[in-house]
Amino acid sequence: VGLGGIMEILSEVKVAGGRLVRAKHQSEATKTDMTFAVFLPPTVREGDGRKHPVLYYLSGLTCDDTNFCAKAGAFPRAAELGLVLVMPDTSPRGAGVDGEDADWDFGTGAGFYLDAVRAPYATNYRMESYVTEELPRVVASRWPVSARAVGVTGHSMGGMGALSLAMRHPEQYRSVSAFAPICAPADCPWGEKAFGGYLGDDRTAWLEHDPSALLRSRGPFAQYDDILVDVGDADQFLEKQLGVDQLAEAAAAVKQPVTLRRQPGYDHSYYFVASFVKDHLDFHAERLRPLAQEEAREAAAAKAKAVAEAQAAAEAAEAGGAIRCKAMVAFKAKEPLRCEEVLVAAPKAGEVRVRVVANALCHTDVYTWSGADPEGAYPVILGHEAGCIVESVGAGVTSVRVGDHVVPCYTPQCCEPGCIFCRSPKTNLCPRIRGTQGKGVMPDGTSRFTLAKDGTEILHFMGCSTFSEYTVLSEISCAKVDPAAPLETICMLGCGISTGFGAVWNTTKVEKGSSVAVFGLGAVGLAVVQAARDAGATHILGIDVNPTKFSFARALGATDCYNPLTPLPEGTSNVQALVARSPTKYGFDYTFDCTGNVGVMRDALEAAHRGWGVSCVIGVAAAGKEIATRPFQLITGRRWCGTAFGGWKSRSDVPDLVDQYLKGQLQIEHYVTHRIHGVENTNQAFDTLHNDKHCLRCVVHYE
């Protein structure tokens, strides 16, 4: 329900991984029904209270809310940046005003984003009030948009609207740009006609809606560190209608930073808008995302304070400081997990108790559940890719405190001066708690989990055990991250996705121009593909027996894909077929096994380039399996290596990866293909991962 009446959803379609919603409501400002469109990036989810940056796009003469949606091609980049886009109509429609449909450049489709004061338009043509006051309230009533991280842009008449509204309401917007705007409407035919019809004959009143005049009278605007304006030098309206030189002169006079780009050969059409829309989205995201993140941090701090106060009251605590909660317990290999009430003991010295917000199901969980893990023991609480909030800390803990957001890491980092592994840049394999972690207990040799009904001890898993609403971690396994980051997304950085990135960037250090072959296109393999693309690899071959993964791989940078089940000529092996697809016909500079199959590991090595090829083992093989090859493969220059957690030092590097994600430098949302709510539904995540060929990561939300 918006303040202007009941909102009716006219349509909703999936686009660029997000949703494009078209809605209608009765407007108080215009006294008519108003239609608008909203693009919601994939980061906007039901029940997620995190506020998203929002950009308003104002269309030009004769347009409505659909033109930009259909022609600009903005949604893929907006999805990557996490920007909500709002596209209002350009005027009221069907207001019943005499003459409103007589001309294309006045009345219907030409509201000029101002409030009319001249009859008969004053009652309905109130687009400034609608865009700056009513529509933001309506949007915020339905979707989680920030009131602080708000930008505005537009094209032609809408570009004029973006500039004038940003200057008239500088307290409301934090970024502004425009495509081919009418920069001096008080001095051009379009503006003179509209301003005269809406505002009357007093030209001084016109100047209050003229961007160039506003800039001179009210500028400079400190909150706008820059204003981006693009215009084509072949624009048919450039000389007579747009007046961009007047805007440039006004900006220079008041020392307002304005980047005016005259684009050679471009006209006034949406082809022009589509050509530069990515630049404008990036411009706004650079300014709005930090504000939304600041808002998220403040909300997280307030929530943490409330949690701490609730915990202080001990409403959910048992005697001795234990917390009763739900957990999914594996009692035997291959049997469905059982939802049980467990007691999670208070943290001891050097330990941290956390509330698990979300958990991504990783193949390593499935691997242990299947019985293939030589260290697998039962009963156990699995799970290790999670996003958590610190609930309490044990004695001596200094690196985190109650309310901090953390990603549990199965590879700890003790940071002790005497730890040769933590000191060395060559490895991330800190052995400080490895002995007890592998046995399913905390460093003191005991568990923090017991069944509430009978006191049966339950083992830990990988030092994490995040298939529980609460768990206890070693301090040295907690990577403290920026609370602005959504835990239901960055939870993936606790294992698989980070491993794929690190295998390329840390372990093998793939160079620009390299050729790469990736065996296995699950989430880890696709992360390898993405990282190889970002490293500058020019030939990336994705290999999988499931061809539905090929579209994912190509979208992330694969230049070629291969199904090893493809029939081959008699006498031709898969290795020979793969080498034949390499650029030099001598193999690939780098190959990566992401399957855990020792036969595939051998193929990956033997497909590596003669003389210098490097093959990296990422997948974990079943208990007792061994790898083999002919020594000649190594003698002729190939090298075999492996990686654990991609070589990342957990407490140092995971926060950096999260920061890159927040800055838009590291895209990971696309790995979440399925979401489930409630820890008790974790078995459904197992079924999804096993049965749905399109599943990469299934994230279970516990809240």
Side-chain angles (χ1 to χ4, degrees):
V1 180
L3 298 184
I6 302 297
M7 185 192 307
E8 177 186 355
I9 301 300
L10 301 176
S11 64
E12 181 171 338
V13 296
K14 185 172 182 178
V15 56
R19 291 173 290 150
L20 177 62
V21 180
R22 194 165 188 245
K24 180 175 71 174
H25 72 111
Q26 187 177 24
S27 168
E28 292 179 343
T30 68
K31 307 296 189 295
T32 65
D33 284 347
M34 292 296 292
T35 302
F36 65 94
V38 178
F39 171 72
L40 303 167
T43 49
V44 175
R45 289 177 284 274
E46 294 296 330
D48 179 5
R50 186 167 57 96
K51 305 298 185 184
H52 290 69
V54 57
L55 177 63
Y56 286 79
Y57 176 87
L58 310 182
S59 289
L61 292 165
T62 74
C63 295
D64 59 19
D65 58 287
T66 65
N67 297 75
F68 178 83
C69 298
K71 299 178 180 180
F75 299 142
R77 186 56 178 166
E80 292 175 355
L81 296 170
L83 278 178
V84 173
L85 303 181
V86 179
M87 288 67 64
D89 204 344
T90 53
S91 75
R93 294 182 187 269
V97 177
D98 287 343
E100 67 178 342
D101 296 323
D103 295 319
W104 65 273
D105 55 355
F106 182 77
T108 301
F112 272 78
Y113 303 101
L114 51 76
D115 288 348
V117 298
R118 190 171 193 175
Y121 294 95
T123 299
N124 307 105
Y125 279 72
R126 298 177 51 79
M127 289 301 293
E128 178 172 5
S129 292
Y130 178 71
V131 169
T132 62
E133 298 174 17
E134 184 177 10
L135 182 58
R137 293 197 303 265
V138 171
V139 171
S141 74
R142 180 65 180 257
W143 296 288
V145 294
S146 172
R148 186 183 307 174
V150 183
V152 62
T153 187
H155 173 231
S156 191
M157 175 187 72
M160 182 221 82
L163 295 172
S164 64
L165 295 182
M167 295 174 192
R168 288 173 58 81
H169 303 274
E171 75 289 345
Q172 183 163 340
Y173 301 105
R174 291 296 176 267
S175 60
V176 56
S177 73
F179 301 86
I182 307 171
C183 297
D187 193 29
C188 77
W190 280 339
E192 290 175 347
K193 180 176 182 178
F195 285 2
Y198 294 134
L199 301 176
D201 298 329
D202 182 2
R203 285 182 171 263
T204 59
W206 298 8
L207 300 180
E208 289 302 307
H209 299 275
D210 182 304
S212 299
L214 284 167
L215 194 51
R216 287 185 182 274
S217 63
R218 301 189 186 188
F221 298 91
Q223 61 269 55
Y224 304 136
D225 66 317
D226 194 8
I227 298 173
L228 176 61
V229 176
D230 274 309
V231 63
D233 69 3
D235 191 314
Q236 59 270 43
F237 304 112
L238 180 60
E239 299 302 327
K240 188 176 181 180
Q241 302 282 12
L242 301 189
V244 293
D245 291 335
Q246 293 185 51
L247 182 73
E249 291 165 4
V254 299
K255 296 182 170 56
Q256 171 70 51
V258 172
T259 299
L260 174 58
R261 305 192 305 184
R262 301 174 189 269
Q263 304 292 359
Y266 285 91
D267 63 9
H268 197 72
S269 70
Y270 262 96
Y271 294 115
F272 160 67
V273 174
S275 298
F276 301 102
V277 70
K278 178 180 178 296
D279 292 350
H280 284 249
L281 295 176
D282 289 347
F283 173 86
H284 288 277
E286 181 182 354
R287 288 153 180 82
L288 300 180
R289 283 164 57 114
L291 295 171
Q293 291 161 11
E294 178 185 9
E295 195 172 3
R297 292 185 194 101
E298 292 173 359
K303 188 173 183 179
K305 182 179 179 182
V307 169
E309 290 172 352
Q311 290 301 328
E315 294 177 354
E318 299 280 339
I323 288 179
R324 182 187 295 263
C325 69
K326 289 184 291 186
M328 296 299 288
V329 182
F331 287 91
K332 290 183 180 179
K334 298 183 180 180
E335 287 189 359
L337 309 181
R338 287 179 5 209
C339 185
E340 299 280 354
E341 274 202 335
V342 299
L343 297 179
V344 185
K348 295 186 179 181
E351 297 176 359
V352 179
R353 186 163 60 188
V354 299
R355 176 169 58 88
V356 182
V357 174
N359 190 99
L361 180 61
C362 175
H363 280 280
T364 306
D365 300 313
V366 179
Y367 165 77
T368 298
W369 170 81
S370 72
D373 185 351
E375 291 185 343
Y378 304 89
V380 64
I381 297 174
L382 301 171
H384 64 289
E385 273 193 14
C388 309
I389 299 174
V390 175
E391 177 272 335
S392 57
V393 299
V397 172
T398 58
S399 63
V400 296
R401 60 184 180 181
V402 173
D404 282 345
H405 289 205
V406 298
V407 172
C409 295
Y410 71 91
T411 301
Q413 183 185 4
C414 74
C415 301
E416 294 292 334
C419 179
I420 60 173
F421 294 89
C422 285
R423 291 203 333 261
S424 173
K426 298 178 181 179
T427 186
N428 62 336
L429 298 178
C430 174
R432 175 75 176 272
I433 58 174
R434 179 67 185 90
T436 51
Q437 181 171 304
K439 296 176 182 177
V441 292
M442 296 300 288
D444 70 348
T446 63
S447 173
R448 302 292 169 267
F449 296 112
T450 54
L451 284 178
K453 62 186 178 184
D454 60 15
T456 299
E457 185 178 83
I458 307 170
L459 296 174
H460 293 250
F461 175 66
M462 294 179 72
C464 297
S465 290
T466 52
F467 286 179
S468 172
E469 293 176 318
Y470 287 84
T471 189
V472 177
L473 313 166
S474 291
E475 178 186 14
I476 63 174
S477 298
C478 294
K480 178 181 174 181
V481 298
D482 191 326
L487 291 171
E488 67 275 13
T489 299
I490 63 166
C491 60
M492 295 184 293
L493 294 176
C495 184
I497 307 304
S498 297
T499 299
F501 291 158
V504 174
W505 297 334
N506 300 329
T507 306
T508 59
K509 296 180 173 60
V510 170
E511 307 98 340
K512 185 176 182 180
S514 299
S515 60
V516 171
V518 184
F519 293 73
L521 297 176
V524 176
L526 291 172
V528 171
V529 170
Q530 179 179 342
R533 176 201 66 190
D534 292 348
T538 52
H539 191 103
I540 304 172
L541 174 64
I543 304 156
D544 203 291
V545 296
N546 176 7
T548 61
K549 298 291 180 68
F550 293 167
S551 60
F552 286 114
R554 289 192 173 96
L556 291 173
T559 57
D560 189 12
C561 292
Y562 175 74
N563 184 346
L565 299 182
T566 302
L568 296 171
E570 186 175 353
T572 301
S573 69
N574 267 315
V575 170
Q576 291 171 324
L578 291 169
V579 169
R581 297 174 90 105
S582 68
T584 66
K585 314 304 180 189
Y586 283 98
F588 294 85
D589 299 324
Y590 298 93
T591 65
F592 297 86
D593 166 71
C594 307
T595 68
N597 182 301
V598 294
V600 176
M601 293 177 192
R602 177 171 184 164
D603 286 351
L605 174 77
E606 296 178 0
H609 204 289
R610 177 184 176 91
W612 61 73
V614 176
S615 186
C616 182
V617 175
I618 303 176
V620 179
K625 294 293 184 178
E626 297 181 349
I627 56 175
T629 191
R630 293 180 298 122
F632 185 74
Q633 296 291 338
L634 304 177
I635 291 170
T636 50
R638 298 169 187 85
R639 288 181 290 148
W640 226 340
C641 66
T643 190
F645 194 44
W648 301 111
K649 291 183 183 289
S650 54
R651 295 164 74 195
S652 302
D653 292 337
V654 169
D656 287 343
L657 291 173
V658 171
D659 288 345
Q660 290 179 47
Y661 164 77
L662 286 173
K663 293 174 183 175
Q665 300 168 351
L666 191 65
Q667 303 298 325
I668 60 174
E669 292 95 342
H670 46 268
Y671 293 103
V672 183
T673 52
H674 297 75
R675 293 188 183 275
I676 294 171
H677 289 270
V679 65
E680 65 276 10
N681 294 315
T682 301
N683 281 325
Q684 184 181 338
F686 274 74
D687 293 340
T688 300
L689 190 64
H690 179 72
N691 296 320
D692 192 327
K693 291 184 177 182
H694 296 91
C695 184
L696 298 178
R697 275 294 185 268
C698 182
V699 174
V700 182
H701 298 242
Y702 291 1
E703 294 186 328

